[in-house]
Amino acid sequence: MDFQLTEDQRALQGATRGLLAGRFGPDRLRAAVGDPAPDRALWRELGAAGFFALRLPEEAGGVGLGLPAAVFVFEEAGRALLPGPLVACQLLAGVVDGVASGEKIVGLCEGTRDPVLWEHPATCEELILVEKGTGCHDRAGRGAQGRTGGVYRSAADRVSCAPFASVDPLTPLARVTDLPRTEPLALDVPRLRREAALLTAAQQLGSAARTVELAVAHARRREQFGAPIGAFQAIKHLCAQMLVRTEIARCAVYAASVTDGDIDVTGAKLLADEAAVRNARDCVQVHGGMGFTWEAEVHLHLKRAWLRAECWCTAGEAEELLAADLIA
Amino acid sequence: MDFQLTEDQRALQGATRGLLAGRFGPDRLRAAVGDPAPDRALWRELGAAGFFALRLPEEAGGVGLGLPAAVFVFEEAGRALLPGPLVACQLLAGVVDGVASGEKIVGLCEGTRDPVLWEHPATCEELILVEKGTGCHDRAGRGAQGRTGGVYRSAADRVSCAPFASVDPLTPLARVTDLPRTEPLALDVPRLRREAALLTAAQQLGSAARTVELAVAHARRREQFGAPIGAFQAIKHLCAQMLVRTEIARCAVYAASVTDGDIDVTGAKLLADEAAVRNARDCVQVHGGMGFTWEAEVHLHLKRAWLRAECWCTAGEAEELLAADLIA
Amino acid sequence: MDLTCTEEEDAFRERLRRWLGEVLPTLPAPPAADDWPGRRAYDAAWQRRLYDAGYAGLHWPEDAGGRGATPTQHLIFLEETERAGAPYVGANFVGLLHAGPTIAAEGSDAQRARWLPPILRGDEIWCQGFSEPDAGSDLAALRTTAVRDGDHYVVSGTKLWTSHAEVADWCELLVRTDPDAPRHRGISWLAMPMDAPGVTVRPLRTLAGSAEFAEMFLDEVRVPVSHRVGAENDGWRVTMVTLSFERGTAFVGEVVACRRVLGALARAARANGRWDDAVLRRGLGRLHAEFAALWRLTQWNVSEAGAARPRGGRSGIGGVPGTGGSVFKLRYSQARQELYDAAAQVLGAGALDADHEWVAGRLSSLSYTIAAGTSQIQQNIVAERILGLPKGR
Amino acid sequence: MDLTCTEEEDAFRERLRRWLGEVLPTLPAPPAADDWPGRRAYDAAWQRRLYDAGYAGLHWPEDAGGRGATPTQHLIFLEETERAGAPYVGANFVGLLHAGPTIAAEGSDAQRARWLPPILRGDEIWCQGFSEPDAGSDLAALRTTAVRDGDHYVVSGTKLWTSHAEVADWCELLVRTDPDAPRHRGISWLAMPMDAPGVTVRPLRTLAGSAEFAEMFLDEVRVPVSHRVGAENDGWRVTMVTLSFERGTAFVGEVVACRRVLGALARAARANGRWDDAVLRRGLGRLHAEFAALWRLTQWNVSEAGAARPRGGRSGIGGVPGTGGSVFKLRYSQARQELYDAAAQVLGAGALDADHEWVAGRLSSLSYTIAAGTSQIQQNIVAERILGLPKGR
């Protein structure tokens, strides 16, 4: 047992952070708030860097890495608030042509939600709809249909949808009004859901870690009553609890990426959602009035965290699955 | 509208506090931990002072005061940690001879709980069992039986029970193994339950207020790192939240004593339970190691608060009743 | 303890209800959220209606142009206007709740005569120039300077979180008149005309997407010395009077509104099936108790203020609310956030819809533990001023 | 990242399981909770069994009499002994986890030879004399004095929270050897024989009803200078080494135990019908995720310690755990309290039964946010040492 990052994993993490810092820094983030459509050039660059082909076998032109590698990359994407249908493109690379290279952008949405929401509708060339599954992921599946059926692929212009004002400025949404079932895709649905939940959790983790940094940086810089506010226990303890949430979620997410187990992923999603949402809120509180402005980065983390918490296993679903496991 | 104590009410509060301070001070409290049976002489003295006859009409030899007066007195009893079946004796004064004067001590227990617990079994001369009601109190009642039936009175030696090691050193318990239905009593069951919940909430309020005082006194006295620990924000904010809980519960309990409404009483019990339990826990935390000793008063508040929270409307029952009221 | 109303109070409520029933249907549609001139006009017109009907400055003393109502009557007024869905105090907020009461308590007769009637009539709108980039929780750190030049102060600095600045006529401004004095001693309170040369306003967009706050840049703005309220360098005390109002009855209408939202949440959950989720349902039940208790605490505080009310004199606008307001604000700001988190549970994925009023409410609820004294500061106040814990650390 | 065990680790686990399966059924019934001499004998006998089987001081370096096992093997040992229901470390706790590692790291060869073997064999029991009435969170405020008299120290003072004091042979004692030095600089670490004249022990009953702690009064106790470990006045550094162990792997067995209790809670709730309460059920589900993550954090910390492990030398008992232990302790102490609060929900009114083991667990869980550094102190540590926030306030 050696539950620490290998040197390769650390290198991957560092390279991804460097790539995103260079190509999606503070200015680009600010610009994306006004125009959140993914930058096609950046998308192709990410494709060229293997971002989407990470888990494809080398025979298929991929990088041949496992789930942990994808998790490290998604953690960085979450930290950088990179917009776009990232989970969709990661999971459909190798399934839909052109996705692995970043040439094509596709969306993925859960038909079991109410309302059914589609991220970046104007950007996606196709929409993949996942119908099956009552809640999160279920490795056992419900017969053959449970394992491989219930996924449909449609050209974007075949999907009927209504406008939806997204709470997250970086993630435009549309409400799908009529579930398109154009072309069935033979995919392992429980696995798809499980991996979607894990990659979403990895982004939440990155966001949670970033808001700790933002809060600490502000608390060290901002002075009130003749001292940096980080010298006051009230602020100290808020920041300490933020770190605790992050590190607990980190262990859960990393371990789930190794075991790829249903219950591990479910628990990781629950803890990462909570870490991202509560950290973002505490980060607003530490920033005081400055955290309440549109210009501050922190509200973007909160809104995206809310959005991700509603995707691929909500807290209520996760708690029920975890409870059921206790008596399984 | 004048939601403030009248001079008479303030005087009653002061007199009760004075009486209890004189007759049940720190030494008596310490002695009661070893021998929690109510002191018969004190009980008669309380009877003579009108403690139990508070709400009986003057024609019946009572004091002729209302529910608010009983609430003030029970708040003081809760603050002083006075042991004994206080709620039973308050509610059965005028129903069972000798209770109003403090000559006789009776118990009251809820047959709907699992296990059915009897407070101070060795002290009570009679046990009154309340059978009806699924949860808290229900003014509408369920037919005539709901309003007046389901209360039975038995001599203590007619009750079968098993030993039960009470978590609260001040409240011996027995588990009633066979529900005695010896002599039916014509009582308004919903009212009985409602008043029992309110008087229990009043004791919780007194306990919550007392633990704020204990925590603040300790925080002012105890020095660590060259300052009273109350100078540190971590301790300050614990104490501040304790006060907030107390004052919120106080408003709810006092208002419920005036309106005598089901929903008001239910909400008051919920908030007072929470204030008493959480304040006692925070009081332990503020005291550090010293709060963890048997000699400190604070664990007695916590244990009694746990006990009262299980009586006459638990949190889960209260929340469901309150929720139902929202859509009534 | 008496929770029933007196005959006089019942009659007052009845008369108010009748009037609201008559006047509200005649109001025009409210302006769009970002139409600031429209909102000013709308809010001012409503204030004028209140004035004409005798409800303006209800709780202000009569010698300040008010109606000298009891705190209970004021509570009834706030409760009934909220219940009836009357317009909010809106752009009149600072004038009616901050600047006006301060001028009434601390101003000269001439100042009262100049500024109070236009506030009550809705003729003049005020904004607040207190916070600065480096003076938030630590308001006494403010650095905007006012240098005496003959019968004027020359004011320079930057103010932040100035609500309604773009449409205001006047600003209640805190400035440093003695840079050498201890922090709390060198501050003065000025009434600054917003059209004075050197005043620049830049809207500040919040995370909720709205722009009702602004930054205000002051570049050698000349303010007559006669516009100073209170003595020179005595502005901190004057300010504390104003701030204590902000922490008093300002939230009465909101508590009523929250209880209405809570009922709507329960009905919406019943309609969409999420009522079957016991965690959600019981959470709403708990909030029911919470807001009922907050309403009782409001009644308690109002009754206390009524009892403490001086029988005359200038400072008697309902009695200056005490530190009890901190207890209320701590719990209320948290309960409000829990309420809108519960709304998000009721909405499910619908909580991602920025156009839903509950989602807007959820976003704005985040400011409640920050604005007008963070919860951290409020806890210090409760611990030090009510519980008597030592200052420091 | 590798969560599987190596072949060597698997073999170690297999051998340990086989041994536990053989030896545990042969153990006598454990003594009553308040039979302290009986508990000492029982715990010491178990330690002797471990010693004879080669499991004593598993993670201690070989030159200290240990087995030089990897942190992972130590983790496996703690996990498997807990799973198998083996006796707890009990009375051997201070010797094996505090005093022993300190002596191994800081003691002279003679001191290691004198004290370590009897600890490993279960022959000698140690207790800890650190806290004092006025030195709790602020340990450096300790006032117990040690005055040099020839080749002895004469020690006087009062110690608090000394566990197993009544049955201990030795006490690891912190004393002030230089009253004039800065607080952290005048402290020394002594090994005091508990039968020395002048030592008086008074049991201290806790709110859980047990008396495993004591007050210890020291009245001119003579301790040989040769019993000092580390240099004179260097005791604070020596102590920090010891305390960091307390915050490291000490809770491994407990996390395993908590996960077992969690499963038992779920089954009990199913049996008594309270599983239908969604609030309770979902709360247990959440705790499932919580304790699973705490277990992963333990594996993380152990792996980190393994990586940092020096390849030899005296201080290498599994590597000194770092501040990551504070993160673990903060969350674990809270999760443990939530676990037993959930147990109370499962029990309903049965949670008032002091004889129920979950009720005892609930009471003792209250100490977890206090003992070995309160959560308030731990948060300061995390904020200052990990996050780099400024000291002070």
Side-chain angles (χ1 to χ4, degrees):
Chain A
M1 189 205 75
D2 183 16
F3 190 31
Q4 292 281 299
L5 272 60
T6 63
E7 271 183 43
D8 283 352
Q9 288 170 334
R10 239 186 283 273
L12 174 64
Q13 215 174 34
T16 311
R17 190 174 301 189
L19 172 69
L20 291 175
R23 295 288 282 109
F24 194 75
D27 291 349
R28 290 290 300 277
L29 175 61
R30 204 157 299 131
V33 172
D35 176 15
D39 173 349
R40 290 277 172 175
L42 171 56
W43 211 261
R44 275 189 295 269
E45 203 173 319
L46 291 172
F51 193 100
F52 305 114
L54 214 51
R55 294 159 58 244
L56 290 184
E58 292 183 51
E59 312 85 85
V63 188
L65 294 173
L67 213 40
V71 157
F72 297 134
V73 165
F74 270 68
E75 180 186 343
E76 294 305 321
R79 167 191 293 273
L81 281 168
L82 184 68
L86 295 162
V87 170
C89 290
Q90 175 69 218
L91 295 182
L92 293 160
V95 177
V96 175
D97 284 350
V99 171
S101 63
E103 291 297 322
K104 193 177 219 172
I105 299 184
V106 296
L108 182 66
C109 81
E110 294 175 90
T112 44
R113 295 270 168 233
D114 174 27
V116 176
L117 297 178
W118 177 10
E119 300 185 9
H120 293 276
T123 302
C124 296
E125 286 144 73
E126 296 193 14
L127 177 63
I128 283 77
L129 174 79
V130 188
E131 274 204 315
K132 277 288 137 185
T134 50
C136 301
H137 24 75
D138 175 5
R139 180 164 268 172
R142 309 274 180 235
Q145 169 79 350
R147 284 204 68 77
T148 62
V151 186
Y152 298 92
R153 166 182 182 181
S154 310
D157 54 11
R158 298 283 300 272
V159 182
S160 318
C161 51
F164 190 96
S166 175
V167 74
D168 175 17
L170 292 173
T171 313
L173 294 172
R175 188 164 61 81
V176 178
T177 53
D178 184 27
L179 302 187
R181 296 189 184 79
T182 318
E183 183 191 333
L185 274 181
L187 285 174
D188 180 340
V189 174
R191 179 177 163 186
L192 187 74
R193 288 186 167 277
R194 190 171 65 243
E195 291 179 351
L198 180 63
L199 295 176
T200 307
Q203 289 175 284
Q204 297 284 56
L205 169 62
S207 174
R210 175 71 181 148
T211 49
V212 182
E213 289 173 9
L214 290 172
V216 168
H218 182 79
R220 293 169 64 130
R221 195 172 52 231
R222 171 78 172 168
E223 295 199 3
Q224 293 281 275
F225 305 105
I229 60 169
F232 295 96
Q233 281 189 348
I235 300 298
K236 269 196 179 122
H237 294 189
L238 274 176
C239 292
Q241 291 295 345
M242 290 171 74
L243 182 76
V244 169
R245 274 181 223 124
T246 307
E247 294 310 305
I248 287 284
R250 181 186 307 284
C251 288
V253 169
Y254 286 3
S257 80
V258 174
T259 68
D260 195 19
D262 284 328
I263 287 302
D264 284 344
V265 170
T266 304
K269 178 69 166 44
L270 178 69
L271 294 171
D273 282 345
E274 182 174 284
V277 170
R278 293 193 54 185
N279 277 14
R281 290 185 73 142
D282 285 353
C283 190
V284 170
Q285 188 70 25
V286 169
H287 277 72
M290 296 320 298
F292 205 68
T293 61
W294 186 265
E295 282 67 32
E297 182 183 331
V298 50
H299 75 104
L300 301 172
H301 283 280
L302 177 60
K303 291 166 177 176
R304 192 82 83 93
W306 278 343
L307 190 144
R308 293 193 198 104
E310 284 296 327
C311 296
W312 308 110
C313 203
T314 62
E317 290 163 350
E319 286 168 354
E320 288 289 6
L321 282 166
L322 287 156
D325 183 63
L326 281 175
I327 52 169
Chain B
M1 190 204 73
D2 183 14
F3 190 30
Q4 292 280 301
L5 271 60
T6 62
E7 272 182 42
D8 283 351
Q9 288 170 333
R10 238 185 284 271
L12 174 64
Q13 215 172 34
T16 311
R17 189 173 301 188
L19 173 68
L20 291 174
R23 298 288 281 108
F24 195 74
D27 291 347
R28 289 291 299 277
L29 175 61
R30 206 158 297 131
V33 172
D35 175 15
D39 173 348
R40 291 276 170 175
L42 171 56
W43 211 260
R44 274 189 294 268
E45 204 173 321
L46 292 172
F51 194 100
F52 304 113
L54 216 50
R55 293 159 58 247
L56 290 183
E58 292 183 52
E59 311 85 85
V63 188
L65 295 174
L67 213 40
V71 157
F72 297 134
V73 165
F74 270 67
E75 180 186 343
E76 295 305 321
R79 166 191 292 271
L81 282 168
L82 184 67
L86 294 162
V87 171
C89 289
Q90 174 69 217
L91 295 181
L92 292 159
V95 176
V96 174
D97 285 349
V99 171
S101 63
E103 291 298 321
K104 192 175 222 174
I105 299 183
V106 295
L108 182 65
C109 84
E110 294 177 271
T112 44
R113 295 272 166 232
D114 175 28
V116 176
L117 296 178
W118 177 10
E119 301 185 7
H120 293 277
T123 302
C124 295
E125 286 143 73
E126 296 193 17
L127 177 64
I128 284 78
L129 174 81
V130 188
E131 274 204 312
K132 278 288 140 186
T134 50
C136 300
H137 24 76
D138 175 5
R139 181 166 267 174
R142 308 272 181 236
Q145 169 77 350
R147 284 201 67 78
T148 60
V151 186
Y152 299 90
R153 167 181 180 180
S154 309
D157 54 13
R158 297 284 300 274
V159 182
S160 319
C161 51
F164 190 96
S166 174
V167 75
D168 175 17
L170 291 173
T171 312
L173 294 171
R175 188 163 61 79
V176 179
T177 52
D178 185 27
L179 301 187
R181 295 188 184 80
T182 318
E183 183 190 334
L185 274 181
L187 285 174
D188 180 341
V189 173
R191 181 177 161 185
L192 186 73
R193 289 186 166 278
R194 190 171 66 243
E195 290 178 351
L198 180 62
L199 294 176
T200 307
Q203 289 175 283
Q204 297 284 58
L205 169 62
S207 175
R210 174 71 181 149
T211 49
V212 181
E213 289 173 8
L214 291 171
V216 168
H218 182 79
R220 294 170 64 134
R221 195 173 50 229
R222 171 80 172 169
E223 295 200 3
Q224 292 282 276
F225 305 105
I229 61 169
F232 295 97
Q233 282 188 349
I235 300 297
K236 269 196 179 115
H237 293 188
L238 275 176
C239 292
Q241 291 296 344
M242 290 171 74
L243 183 76
V244 169
R245 273 181 223 123
T246 308
E247 293 311 304
I248 288 285
R250 181 186 307 283
C251 288
V253 169
Y254 286 4
S257 79
V258 173
T259 68
D260 194 18
D262 284 327
I263 288 301
D264 284 344
V265 169
T266 304
K269 177 70 165 47
L270 179 68
L271 295 171
D273 282 345
E274 182 174 286
V277 170
R278 294 193 55 186
N279 276 15
R281 291 184 73 142
D282 285 353
C283 190
V284 171
Q285 188 69 25
V286 168
H287 277 74
M290 297 318 301
F292 204 68
T293 61
W294 186 265
E295 281 68 32
E297 181 183 332
V298 50
H299 75 105
L300 301 173
H301 282 280
L302 177 60
K303 291 166 176 176
R304 193 83 81 94
W306 278 344
L307 190 144
R308 292 193 199 104
E310 284 297 328
C311 296
W312 309 110
C313 202
T314 63
E317 291 163 348
E319 286 167 356
E320 288 290 6
L321 281 168
L322 287 156
D325 184 63
L326 281 173
I327 54 167
Chain C
M1 296 191 307
D2 184 1
L3 288 168
T4 58
C5 286
T6 62
E7 264 182 46
E8 197 188 337
E9 288 160 353
D10 278 335
F12 173 81
R13 188 190 298 269
E14 198 39 55
R15 190 157 34 88
L16 173 60
R17 274 192 187 161
R18 219 167 28 239
W19 179 74
L20 288 167
E22 285 161 16
V23 74
L24 292 183
T26 70
L27 294 186
D34 55 354
D35 173 10
W36 294 104
R39 284 176 65 170
R40 179 198 159 127
Y42 187 84
D43 296 344
W46 171 244
Q47 183 61 28
R48 179 67 197 212
R49 292 260 201 168
L50 289 173
Y51 181 82
D52 291 340
Y55 291 114
L58 195 64
H59 61 302
W60 289 21
E62 292 178 27
D63 66 358
R67 317 294 301 185
T70 64
T72 301
Q73 285 175 325
H74 187 215
L75 183 77
I76 291 169
F77 173 79
L78 295 166
E79 187 184 357
E80 291 297 329
T81 47
E82 171 55 41
R83 286 224 171 111
Y88 288 101
V89 62
N92 300 296
F93 184 85
V94 173
L96 283 169
L97 278 93
H98 293 213
T102 304
I103 295 163
E106 303 285 334
S108 67
D109 287 340
Q111 289 171 331
R112 286 154 64 101
R114 165 64 192 87
W115 284 311
L116 297 184
I119 289 174
L120 292 172
R121 282 195 306 263
D123 289 346
E124 290 183 351
I125 299 298
W126 286 67
C127 63
Q128 188 184 69
F130 283 9
S131 297
E132 297 182 6
D134 290 321
S137 289
D138 184 13
L139 186 55
L142 63 90
R143 295 200 290 219
T144 294
T145 54
V147 180
R148 189 79 173 251
D149 178 25
D151 54 0
H152 280 74
Y153 290 107
V154 180
V155 179
S156 293
T158 305
K159 292 289 178 178
L160 208 60
W161 303 116
T162 311
S163 52
H164 302 108
E166 289 164 282
V167 298
D169 305 293
W170 293 93
C171 179
E172 52 164 348
L173 194 71
L174 285 184
V175 294
R176 189 160 297 284
T177 34
D178 182 354
D180 301 323
R183 287 155 33 105
H184 295 84
R185 302 252 176 89
I187 293 168
S188 298
W189 194 107
L190 303 181
M192 177 183 78
M194 289 296 286
D195 59 2
V199 178
T200 312
V201 168
R202 199 184 68 146
L204 199 63
R205 198 173 170 201
T206 72
L207 60 79
S210 66
E212 66 189 286
F213 299 103
E215 284 178 289
M216 191 167 66
F217 304 96
L218 307 176
D219 182 17
E220 303 199 345
V221 180
R222 295 183 68 83
V223 179
V225 170
S226 62
H227 283 21
R228 191 191 67 230
V229 169
E232 189 168 84
N233 298 328
D234 192 31
W236 184 256
R237 189 187 57 75
V238 171
T239 306
M240 286 303 105
V241 170
T242 309
L243 281 186
S244 66
F245 279 100
E246 187 171 2
R247 287 164 194 168
T249 49
F251 297 107
V252 168
E254 293 196 18
V255 175
V256 175
C258 283
R259 298 183 79 184
R260 194 182 51 225
V261 169
L262 185 59
L265 292 186
R267 287 187 298 277
R270 274 264 282 213
N272 72 15
R274 292 199 170 90
W275 189 250
D276 294 338
D277 175 351
V279 176
L280 165 59
R281 191 176 63 238
R282 282 176 48 179
L284 293 179
R286 176 169 286 268
L287 284 169
H288 188 10
E290 194 79 37
F291 281 103
L294 284 164
W295 178 248
R296 296 306 186 187
L297 177 55
T298 303
Q299 291 181 313
W300 181 270
N301 286 343
V302 164
S303 298
E304 194 173 43
R309 197 172 179 233
R311 294 289 163 201
R314 290 190 164 183
S315 59
I317 297 192
V320 175
T323 42
S326 289
V327 170
F328 175 86
K329 186 175 183 292
L330 272 169
R331 188 76 169 224
Y332 169 62
S333 57
Q334 195 196 322
R336 190 178 175 99
Q337 291 177 353
E338 289 169 11
L339 176 72
Y340 283 104
D341 283 344
Q345 283 181 57
V346 172
L347 293 170
L352 304 175
D353 178 2
D355 283 348
H356 198 294
E357 64 170 314
W358 294 342
V359 178
R362 190 185 197 192
L363 285 168
S364 75
S365 77
L366 296 173
S367 73
Y368 278 72
T369 48
I370 295 171
T374 66
S375 290
Q376 284 72 34
I377 297 286
Q378 300 289 352
Q379 287 176 110
N380 285 345
I381 291 173
V382 168
E384 292 170 10
R385 296 200 207 151
I386 306 183
L387 296 176
L389 287 170
K391 292 226 171 211
R393 312 293 165 138
Chain D
M1 296 191 307
D2 185 1
L3 288 169
T4 57
C5 286
T6 63
E7 263 179 50
E8 196 188 337
E9 287 161 355
D10 277 336
F12 174 80
R13 188 192 296 271
E14 198 39 56
R15 191 157 32 86
L16 173 61
R17 272 192 190 163
R18 217 168 28 239
W19 180 74
L20 287 168
E22 285 161 16
V23 74
L24 291 183
T26 71
L27 293 186
D34 56 355
D35 173 11
W36 294 102
R39 285 175 64 169
R40 181 200 156 128
Y42 187 84
D43 296 346
W46 172 244
Q47 182 61 27
R48 180 68 198 212
R49 293 260 199 167
L50 290 172
Y51 181 83
D52 290 341
Y55 290 115
L58 195 65
H59 60 303
W60 288 23
E62 292 175 30
D63 67 358
R67 319 294 302 183
T70 63
T72 300
Q73 285 174 324
H74 187 214
L75 184 76
I76 290 169
F77 172 78
L78 295 167
E79 187 183 356
E80 292 297 329
T81 46
E82 172 56 39
R83 285 224 174 112
Y88 287 100
V89 62
N92 301 296
F93 184 84
V94 173
L96 284 169
L97 278 93
H98 292 214
T102 304
I103 294 163
E106 303 285 336
S108 67
D109 287 339
Q111 289 172 331
R112 285 153 66 101
R114 165 64 191 88
W115 284 312
L116 298 183
I119 288 175
L120 292 172
R121 283 195 306 262
D123 289 346
E124 291 183 350
I125 299 297
W126 286 65
C127 64
Q128 189 184 69
F130 283 10
S131 298
E132 297 182 6
D134 290 322
S137 290
D138 184 13
L139 186 56
L142 64 90
R143 294 198 291 217
T144 294
T145 54
V147 180
R148 190 78 173 253
D149 179 25
D151 54 359
H152 280 75
Y153 290 108
V154 181
V155 179
S156 295
T158 305
K159 292 289 178 179
L160 208 58
W161 303 117
T162 311
S163 52
H164 301 108
E166 288 164 283
V167 296
D169 304 294
W170 293 93
C171 178
E172 51 164 349
L173 194 70
L174 285 183
V175 294
R176 189 161 296 284
T177 34
D178 182 354
D180 301 325
R183 287 156 30 106
H184 296 83
R185 300 251 176 89
I187 293 169
S188 299
W189 194 107
L190 303 182
M192 178 184 77
M194 288 297 284
D195 59 0
V199 177
T200 311
V201 168
R202 198 183 69 145
L204 200 63
R205 196 170 171 203
T206 71
L207 61 79
S210 65
E212 65 188 291
F213 299 104
E215 285 178 288
M216 192 168 63
F217 304 96
L218 307 175
D219 182 16
E220 303 198 344
V221 180
R222 295 182 70 84
V223 179
V225 171
S226 62
H227 283 19
R228 191 191 67 231
V229 170
E232 188 168 86
N233 299 329
D234 192 32
W236 184 256
R237 189 187 56 74
V238 172
T239 306
M240 286 302 105
V241 170
T242 309
L243 280 186
S244 66
F245 279 100
E246 187 170 5
R247 287 164 195 169
T249 50
F251 297 106
V252 168
E254 293 196 18
V255 174
V256 176
C258 282
R259 298 182 78 184
R260 196 184 48 223
V261 169
L262 186 58
L265 292 187
R267 287 187 298 277
R270 274 263 283 213
N272 73 17
R274 291 201 171 88
W275 189 250
D276 294 337
D277 174 352
V279 176
L280 165 58
R281 190 176 63 238
R282 282 175 51 179
L284 293 178
R286 175 168 286 268
L287 283 169
H288 189 11
E290 194 78 35
F291 280 103
L294 284 164
W295 179 246
R296 297 306 186 188
L297 178 55
T298 302
Q299 292 181 312
W300 182 270
N301 286 342
V302 164
S303 298
E304 195 173 42
R309 200 171 177 232
R311 292 291 164 200
R314 292 194 165 178
S315 60
I317 300 192
V320 175
T323 41
S326 289
V327 169
F328 175 86
K329 185 173 183 293
L330 272 169
R331 189 76 168 222
Y332 168 63
S333 57
Q334 196 194 321
R336 190 176 173 98
Q337 291 177 353
E338 289 170 11
L339 175 72
Y340 283 104
D341 282 344
Q345 282 181 59
V346 171
L347 293 170
L352 304 176
D353 178 3
D355 283 347
H356 198 292
E357 63 170 316
W358 293 342
V359 177
R362 190 185 198 192
L363 285 168
S364 75
S365 77
L366 296 173
S367 73
Y368 279 71
T369 48
I370 295 172
T374 65
S375 289
Q376 285 71 35
I377 297 286
Q378 300 289 353
Q379 287 177 112
N380 284 345
I381 291 173
V382 168
E384 292 169 11
R385 298 200 205 150
I386 306 183
L387 296 176
L389 287 171
K391 291 223 172 212
R393 312 296 168 134

